[in-house]
Amino acid sequence: CTVFGGDASAVQSQLSKVQQIQGTGAAFAAINRDGSVVTWGDGAGGGNSSHVQEQLRNVQHICSSTYAFAAILADRSMVTWGSPEYGGDSSEV
C-alpha cells in the first residue's frame, strides 16, 4: 500500500521510539518520544511538514482532520499543516 501515505520507507530511519501516530486521508504523522514529528504521504494532505518543521518541537499530541494535522506543543501552543481547506492553515487565528 504505497498510495495515500502507506509507504514510510523514506522516513523509516527517523521513526524511533514512536509514542503516537495519527493519519489523515492521505498521510501520517508520528510523534517520537523526544517530541519530534515525522510525516509522510501526500504532501497536500499533511505528509509534508517541512514549512513548520522548526516549530514542531516538544510536541505532546497530534490531531487530524481529513487532510490536515494540528500539533499541541508542551507550551500549549498549536501548529497546523496540510490542506488549508481542512484546517492546515491556522495563521489567521
Side-chain angles (χ1 to χ4, degrees):
C1 179
T2 59
V3 179
F4 304 120
D7 183 2
S9 60
V11 296
Q12 189 66 44
S13 64
Q14 299 172 54
L15 296 169
S16 61
K17 300 180 181 175
V18 173
Q19 69 178 23
Q20 183 194 354
I21 190 164
Q22 283 286 345
T24 67
F28 290 96
I31 304 174
N32 286 323
R33 191 174 293 162
D34 66 0
S36 64
V37 173
V38 179
T39 59
W40 66 96
D42 181 68
N48 181 359
S49 60
S50 61
H51 64 289
V52 294
Q53 195 62 46
E54 288 300 314
Q55 300 171 59
L56 293 173
R57 301 283 183 256
N58 300 311
V59 174
Q60 302 296 300
H61 188 72
I62 293 179
C63 296
S64 62
S65 69
T66 306
Y67 295 114
F69 291 102
I72 301 170
L73 309 184
D75 66 3
R76 309 320 274 166
S77 63
M78 182 180 68
V79 178
T80 59
W81 70 96
S83 173
E85 293 83 14
Y86 290 89
D89 181 3
S90 60
S91 61
E92 298 296 320
V93 178

